[in-house]
Amino acid sequence: MNRRLTAIVRREGAGYVALCPAVDVASQGNTVAEARDNLAEALTLFFETAGAEEVERRLSGEVYVTQVEVPLG
């Protein structure tokens, strides 16, 4: 069974950091694709090793990804 999760990728220094806010798992890579692939691997390992209670606890929280507009300056 697969589950679709949100990944947020941002540049950090010379590389990229990928975060899955739904379960608070992150990884990194030298490119966006590498960071995303590494995050997928980290998520797979998390779901393979975490107990059912831990998975449910993380997935049951509400996470919103949205944008806000603020004035600059």
Side-chain angles (χ1 to χ4, degrees), residues 7-10 16-20 25-29 32 35-36 39:
I8 299 169
V9 182
R10 67 184 178 119
Y16 295 86
V17 173
L19 169 68
C20 176
V25 171
S27 194
Q28 62 185 5
V32 171
R36 185 177 183 266
L39 177 62

Side-chain angles (χ1 to χ4, degrees), residues 34-46:
E34 185 178 315
R36 185 177 183 266
D37 291 346
N38 289 345
L39 177 62
E41 182 179 352
L43 287 165
T44 299
L45 290 171
F46 168 73

Side-chain angles (χ1 to χ4, degrees), residues 60-73:
S60 66
E62 293 184 25
V63 175
Y64 301 97
V65 177
T66 187
Q67 295 181 347
V68 296
E69 188 172 329
V70 297
L72 299 178

